[in-house]
Amino acid sequence: MTLKLKRLEHADGIEPPAYETTGSAGMDIRAAVAAGEPLTLAPGERALVPTGFIFEIPEGYEAQIRPRSGLAFKHGITCLNTPGTIDSDYRGEVKVLLVNLGDKDFSIERDMRIAQVIIAPVTQMPVTVVDDLTDTARGAGGFGSTGV
Ligand SMILES: O=c1ccn([C@H]2C[C@H](O)[C@@H](COP(=O)(O)OP(=O)(O)OP(=O)(O)O)O2)c(=O)[nH]1
Ligand SMILES: [Mg+2]
């Protein structure tokens, strides 16, 4: 099984998403903003950043767009909708919704590694609406019901 990628014109010369080490869970994905025209995010600002790639994910799988911890730690840059969901039937450009939670402007340059892509299996489950559900010991307890 492979992840098929189509490169769009504005990603000419940009490395496709890639695993940086042999054991990496995620492939780093890069910004396809125009060369010499960085996208600057002011504190609190968000932007949909183009990656220049369309994915064909095998049926039964999804791609998750997750933040890079280095960008989050050093600059407060993260994915607003993390983990972003790329559906296997999506044939548009993959985009990364970045937000600047830091206190300084942050510039996203062409080819910068802005996020990581995790491929994960998914199950579509049929839904049934019923009147009664099975009892459990937990019941409706949650949100700290078991203590600290
Ligand atoms: O970070 C993201 C999240 C989503 N998408 C694309 C791929 C995904 O398959 C599609 C729809 O995403 P989602 O279901 O999260 O958004 P929605 O608000 O429910 O839109 P839609 O009504 O199109 O499903 O948008 C991205 O490119 N990047
Ligand atoms: Mg949706």
Side-chain angles (χ1 to χ4, degrees):
M1 214 169 358
T2 57
L3 174 67
K4 291 188 195 161
L5 302 177
K6 182 175 172 183
R7 193 198 299 265
L8 297 168
E9 226 171 275
H10 59 276
D12 201 23
I14 289 196
E15 291 273 314
Y19 297 105
E20 295 294 321
T21 67
T22 50
S24 289
M27 301 175 231
D28 284 353
I29 192 165
R30 295 167 182 265
V33 295
E37 289 176 37
L39 178 60
T40 300
L41 289 181
E45 207 178 356
R46 63 181 184 270
L48 211 43
V49 184
T51 68
F53 284 91
I54 300 177
F55 290 13
E56 183 173 330
I57 302 165
E59 216 177 291
Y61 292 82
E62 62 159 338
Q64 299 175 8
I65 307 292
R66 296 194 204 158
R68 294 186 67 208
S69 64
L71 286 179
F73 179 58
K74 292 179 199 155
H75 306 287
I77 297 294
T78 188
C79 299
L80 183 57
N81 60 328
T82 189
T85 305
I86 310 299
D87 301 292
S88 65
D89 59 353
Y90 178 67
R91 292 294 179 273
E93 179 178 7
V94 170
K95 294 187 179 172
V96 178
L97 181 51
L98 289 181
V99 62
N100 183 356
L101 300 182
D103 51 13
K104 293 190 182 68
D105 283 7
F106 184 79
S107 288
I108 299 151
E109 314 264 357
R110 184 174 179 82
D111 216 27
M112 181 182 270
R113 288 177 291 144
I114 50 171
Q116 55 188 319
V117 178
I118 279 78
I119 304 295
V122 286
T123 305
Q124 276 191 349
M125 191 167 287
V127 171
T128 316
V129 177
V130 296
D131 290 329
D132 296 301
L133 300 172
T134 316
D135 284 332
T136 68
R138 173 181 283 277
F143 314 101
S145 69
T146 61
V148 278

